[in-house]
Amino acid sequence: MIRGTVQSVLFQNPENGYSVLKLRTEDGELVTVVGTIPMTIVGERLVIAGRWGHHPSHGPQFEAEFLERLMPETKAEIFSFLSSRAVKGIGAKTAEKIVSRFGASSLDVLENEPERLTEIPGITEKKAREMSESFRRQSGIRRLIEFLTAHRLPPELAVRLYRVYGELATDALRDDPYVLTDPYFHADFSLVDAFALELDVAADDERRVEAGILFELSYNLSNGHTFIPQPKLCAATAALLNLDTETIEAGLLRLPEQNRLVVDTVAGLQACYLPGFYEAETYITSRLLQMAEKQFPEPSNLERLLPSIEQAQETRYASLQREAIRRAATQQLLIVTGGPGTGKTTVMSGILALFDALKIKTQLAAPTGRASKRLSEVTGREASTIHRLLEAQFDEATGMMSFYHDEEEPLNIDAMIVDETSMVDLQLMMSLLRALKPGCRLILVGDPDQLPSVGAGNVFSDLIRSGKIAAVRLTEIFRQAQQSLIVMNAHAVNRGELPDLSRKDKDFFFMRRRSPEALVQTVQELCAVRLPKNMGIASCDIQVLSPTRKGETGTRALNLALQAVLNPPQTGKREKKHGEFSFREGDRVMQIRNNYDIMWKRSDGLGAGTGIFNGDIGTISRIDFEAELVSIDFDDRQAEYSFDMLSELEPAYAMTVHKSQGSEYRAVILSAFSGSQLLLTRSVLYTAITRARELFIIVGNEEVIAAMTRNDRQQRRYSGLKLRLEQGEPS
């Protein structure tokens, strides 16, 4: 056992807390200490149990196995601690003033008497309060991290646990370790389960069984299912927990009584739902059937209006386009579908013009920021994301998201047109419908052959296949679109035909590369040099896609390679290491989960709001180490992320095809080299091609492209919506 004061931190992994530090022992010796010592700060005192080891390059080092933190005692130790920026708002100068004024009592004042800090010139009551809160929060989180890492739980759980339980977090975990399986914590079930068993929770404990069932159900929902058949859920949970099915079945009987599970019959299956998903399916069914039955009288001047709209828009509608616009005049609910080049945008603009002429107040919306921006550009009218339109908000008390607009506060509109509807998942569709007042028209536009929504459900496809909702499918590819190989190859792939890889004179190119190294190098050259120089396409207008995250040609490897050439390190450019990636000023990044409580300001200073959502892409404008903040520009919005929120971001130089849904880019480069059969599918290739507006380049080999074209396998999603629509009656 050794005791001493931290002199310097040589290395620290924020993901697992592994650290290398220099410790000045009480004997005055400077020793190297290694081990899991998260959130280590220069100046703090440690008592460490472990054993001596020897590193072949660095010599003797003490390998920590257990530690106890002691707060700094002397004025020198306290100054060292505070000047290390351990407390938000306190740097070297402020630390010197605090220690000079309060001496050895500085930390006690900071924790228990923060109002006394105002005795120091320049420290306001607000600033004193913020310093104290930061100190108490950090102390509590560090103690919590020590508890978590001692039980081999990820230290990043500490921040969320502290938000929910505060100082009582450790007690809450001891009372019921399975609280960590709540989706809010993003904890790995196997780690939580191992932790619970360490605390002597019995293998057949009801809490364990119920948590296991709900985990399996939630896990499968993340794969797009809205329910799981009871036998499948029972078998999967039994295998997960290594228990007999009878014990699991008993848990399945208890959960509905607790309102934590709903069991219903769907197509002869005993379907197990989480309550929120059951509510969504049944509500959507009822509301859409009501809307599908509603028809409006045909406007008497419709035949005069259509030619005038054509003239104003300098177009001539094809028969199916005209039919779609006519039906929009009379149907409360209408679906418009079609592949690329079939004129969906023209139809949307026509419907919008018709509604304007009929004095119908109309709102345009799309599931993602990029999709809504594109919708604004092609229609000339402001469009919004569905989340922003509904005014998403986060309830810290429940850890749940909600929307301001619902049945009690409906949107003040008469019609809504939603583009890229294939991306709308079950729960978002329910929220959208709840925000529409009775009689509001709804036009759903999209391509059912695109990949389904990332979230649960197969909503758009289910609506179409049910046959219960008026729909117009556009099939004619217009002459202008026929000149584009992007459009023609997309349709060929959709039919199961190999795209034309031989042409070199249009907007679709294939570049054969036989090794991962050559592929990555080519992608780097295209993004950094060839496309900007030869075709005038800026790097920021190029999006690299891959079917997969993993592997030498997946998005993880490509992002590191592209950052190296598009935004390399340089003097004065700050960066923050997080996991395997160093976030750097100037980096393109993507939000990877919905965050409903993060605040943003409009870039023009004319407004503010909350919520950054899964798939939103921005650029890191500034990293502030003193404030521990990362500033990010998301198109017309600016948001600030604390360092502990960086796990919500990932680099976006390259992204998976799934993540690109709803977006359109001037140029797209697809990495096509290898991957799982589940990912190398026709729909993935089709979706990738249709993301490109001016240029599409495949880098890889023909065998992969051929395999993707042949593979029309689509993962089956358990969903009851189509059947409910077919069988249901409006309530």
Side-chain angles (χ1 to χ4, degrees):
M1 183 177 292
I2 58 174
R3 180 190 299 256
T5 304
V6 178
Q7 297 296 296
S8 62
V9 180
L10 305 178
F11 172 79
Q12 192 158 75
N13 185 328
E15 295 293 318
N16 57 22
Y18 182 83
S19 305
V20 180
L21 54 92
K22 290 289 186 180
L23 190 81
R24 180 73 68 183
T25 69
E26 292 181 339
D27 299 330
E29 185 182 1
L30 192 64
V31 302
T32 301
V33 180
V34 300
T36 303
I37 315 174
M39 295 183 71
T40 309
I41 298 168
V42 172
E44 70 176 318
R45 296 164 63 232
L46 303 177
V47 179
I48 306 174
R51 56 188 175 86
W52 285 99
H54 191 277
H55 192 277
S57 302
H58 305 293
Q61 54 188 27
F62 194 78
E63 299 170 0
E65 296 174 350
F66 176 80
L67 69 92
E68 180 184 0
R69 297 184 191 264
L70 305 174
M71 293 308 295
E73 292 181 341
T74 69
K75 290 173 64 175
E77 289 173 347
I78 293 171
F79 171 74
S80 181
F81 173 78
L82 292 178
S83 62
S84 69
R85 302 196 184 281
V87 179
K88 188 176 180 180
I90 302 180
K93 290 183 180 178
T94 305
E96 185 177 6
K97 292 177 182 177
I98 293 173
V99 174
S100 176
R101 178 69 180 84
F102 300 111
S105 302
S106 295
L107 298 183
D108 184 63
V109 169
L110 191 60
E111 182 172 12
N112 300 311
E113 299 179 279
E115 66 278 0
R116 293 184 60 192
L117 294 171
T118 59
E119 298 170 17
I120 299 170
I123 298 182
T124 62
E125 288 186 13
K126 181 182 177 183
K127 192 172 181 181
R129 224 171 23 252
E130 289 174 348
M131 290 175 179
S132 180
E133 288 171 2
S134 173
F135 177 71
R136 290 198 300 270
R137 179 175 180 271
Q138 179 156 129
S139 298
I141 290 175
R142 288 167 73 207
R143 287 192 295 271
L144 185 55
I145 284 176
E146 288 170 22
F147 176 77
L148 293 172
T149 53
H151 291 282
R152 294 172 296 282
L153 291 169
E156 57 265 28
L157 288 173
V159 174
R160 286 179 173 265
L161 278 165
Y162 196 84
R163 283 178 188 165
V164 176
Y165 298 107
E167 295 290 338
L168 300 175
T170 303
D171 292 335
L173 290 180
R174 287 196 173 101
D175 288 342
D176 184 5
Y178 292 100
V179 297
L180 285 171
T181 60
D182 188 292
Y184 177 72
F185 297 115
H186 308 295
D188 185 285
F189 181 84
S190 61
L191 293 177
V192 176
D193 196 40
F195 166 56
L197 296 174
E198 275 184 17
L199 297 183
D200 295 325
V201 173
D204 60 352
D205 188 288
E206 290 185 0
R207 294 171 300 174
R208 182 172 186 253
V209 174
E210 291 163 7
I213 293 170
L214 295 176
F215 165 76
E216 278 293 342
L217 190 50
S218 298
Y219 177 81
N220 280 281
L221 293 175
S222 68
N223 290 328
H225 304 297
T226 64
F227 72 84
I228 300 298
Q230 183 169 318
K232 184 174 179 175
L233 178 59
C234 206
T237 308
L240 174 74
L241 303 180
N242 195 26
L243 294 171
D244 58 77
T245 55
E246 288 79 8
T247 303
I248 307 302
E249 288 168 354
L252 280 168
L253 291 173
R254 291 192 299 271
L255 285 168
E257 296 172 357
Q258 304 166 18
N259 297 317
R260 299 165 74 191
L261 185 79
V262 175
V263 182
D264 194 16
T265 302
V266 177
L269 299 172
Q270 288 294 102
C272 297
Y273 289 85
L274 289 178
F277 290 88
Y278 179 79
E279 179 191 8
E281 254 190 24
T282 52
Y283 178 86
I284 291 170
T285 300
S286 174
R287 186 71 191 276
L288 289 183
L289 288 173
Q290 290 176 6
M291 295 175 72
E293 286 192 343
K294 174 73 173 177
Q295 287 195 321
F296 301 99
E298 183 174 294
S300 58
N301 59 343
L302 183 61
E303 293 304 322
R304 296 195 307 274
L305 282 174
L306 289 177
S308 65
I309 293 171
E310 284 181 319
Q311 186 176 1
Q313 297 191 345
E314 299 179 348
T315 189
R316 183 84 175 170
Y317 298 130
S319 59
L320 286 173
Q321 290 179 315
R322 182 177 287 268
E323 181 188 347
I325 298 170
R326 288 183 64 95
R327 296 187 75 175
T330 59
Q331 299 285 159
Q332 185 181 3
L333 177 62
L334 178 68
I335 293 173
V336 180
T337 75
T342 58
K344 294 191 297 297
T345 299
T346 301
V347 169
M348 281 192 291
S349 296
I351 293 173
L352 191 58
L354 175 64
F355 285 176
D356 285 346
L358 297 174
K359 309 298 184 188
I360 296 171
K361 186 178 180 181
T362 307
Q363 174 68 52
L364 299 177
T368 67
R370 284 189 170 264
S372 67
K373 185 178 180 181
R374 175 182 167 273
L375 185 57
S376 295
E377 291 169 351
V378 298
T379 61
R381 288 276 291 270
E382 184 179 355
S384 171
T385 66
I386 297 172
H387 286 90
R388 197 186 304 183
L389 183 66
L390 302 186
E391 297 184 43
Q393 48 199 8
F394 183 78
D395 188 340
E396 290 192 6
T398 64
M400 301 294 289
M401 177 274 295
S402 63
F403 293 103
Y404 173 75
H405 291 289
D406 55 15
E407 293 99 335
E408 295 182 1
E409 293 288 343
L411 293 164
N412 184 27
I413 58 174
D414 303 314
M416 178 177 288
I417 301 174
V418 180
D419 196 16
E420 298 285 356
T421 310
S422 63
M423 294 185 64
V424 178
D425 63 33
L426 190 77
Q427 291 189 306
L428 187 58
M429 179 59 76
M430 177 180 68
S431 299
L432 174 65
L433 292 172
R434 280 184 163 162
L436 301 182
K437 63 187 181 183
C440 183
R441 302 168 190 246
L442 179 60
I443 313 295
L444 301 174
V445 183
D447 182 351
D449 296 319
Q450 298 282 350
L451 291 167
S453 61
V454 175
N458 205 18
V459 176
F460 195 48
S461 178
D462 283 351
L463 302 191
I464 296 169
R465 291 186 300 118
S466 73
K468 292 291 186 176
I469 297 167
V472 178
R473 183 175 182 104
L474 307 175
T475 56
E476 182 180 347
I477 304 173
F478 290 92
R479 185 180 302 171
Q480 185 177 356
Q482 291 176 9
Q483 306 306 308
S484 167
L485 276 179
I486 292 175
V487 171
M488 300 311 292
N489 277 332
H491 284 278
V493 167
N494 205 28
R495 294 191 299 267
E497 300 169 7
L498 191 67
D500 185 352
L501 304 180
S502 62
R503 299 278 295 274
K504 304 289 185 186
D505 61 337
K506 293 222 176 185
D507 54 6
F508 191 108
F509 296 88
F510 171 69
M511 302 178 72
R512 183 184 294 108
R513 296 295 183 271
R514 293 298 188 185
S515 72
E517 296 80 12
L519 183 151
V520 172
Q521 184 179 349
T522 299
V523 171
Q524 286 178 307
E525 291 171 355
L526 287 168
C527 293
V529 180
R530 295 168 66 173
L531 295 188
K533 182 179 178 180
N534 300 333
M535 303 190 69
I537 301 176
S539 299
C540 60
D541 292 327
I542 305 167
Q543 184 59 59
V544 177
L545 302 180
S546 173
T548 181
R549 291 175 57 85
K550 301 177 181 178
E552 296 174 278
T553 60
T555 58
R556 289 178 181 172
L558 286 167
N559 270 313
L560 291 170
L562 288 167
Q563 185 195 41
V565 295
L566 297 177
N567 190 33
Q570 66 182 63
T571 304
K573 183 175 287 187
R574 288 162 289 202
E575 61 181 68
K576 171 65 179 174
K577 176 80 172 171
H578 187 82
E580 62 185 357
F581 193 81
S582 290
F583 291 101
R584 189 172 297 143
E585 291 175 341
D587 275 337
R588 189 195 305 177
V589 295
M590 177 170 55
Q591 178 76 13
I592 60 172
R593 64 176 66 103
N594 290 336
N595 186 324
Y596 302 98
D597 60 344
I598 190 169
M599 296 188 65
W600 51 262
K601 296 183 292 186
R602 283 181 60 99
S603 304
D604 57 13
L606 298 179
T610 59
I612 301 293
F613 305 108
N614 187 6
D616 284 354
I617 293 176
T619 302
I620 296 177
S621 57
R622 186 168 183 266
I623 297 175
D624 186 337
F625 282 97
E626 183 171 349
E628 297 187 353
L629 292 174
V630 177
S631 300
I632 303 175
D633 294 337
F634 292 95
D635 292 328
D636 61 341
R637 296 166 295 157
Q638 296 175 331
E640 289 186 335
Y641 286 62
S642 60
F643 283 179
D644 63 20
M645 293 168 60
L646 291 178
S647 59
E648 298 188 9
L649 296 170
E650 65 181 30
Y653 297 105
M655 68 177 69
T656 63
V657 177
H658 285 78
K659 284 288 189 182
S660 73
Q661 289 174 259
S663 299
E664 189 178 77
Y665 310 94
R666 190 177 174 190
V668 169
I669 300 170
L670 177 66
S671 165
F673 194 81
S674 62
S676 164
Q677 288 293 307
L678 294 174
L679 298 171
L680 298 181
T681 67
R682 185 184 301 171
S683 59
V684 168
L685 179 57
Y686 175 77
T687 300
I689 296 171
T690 56
R691 299 308 90 204
R693 186 168 66 249
E694 295 180 21
L695 179 66
F696 184 77
I697 302 174
I698 301 174
V699 185
N701 61 66
E702 301 97 320
E703 291 85 353
V704 171
I705 301 302
M708 295 179 78
T709 305
R710 290 192 304 269
N711 185 7
D712 66 347
R713 175 178 177 179
Q714 293 185 355
Q715 183 184 9
R716 180 186 178 187
R717 291 189 168 190
Y718 290 111
S719 167
L721 182 59
K722 173 179 173 290
L723 188 69
R724 295 183 192 279
L725 286 166
E726 290 172 345
Q727 298 179 344
E729 296 293 332
S731 59

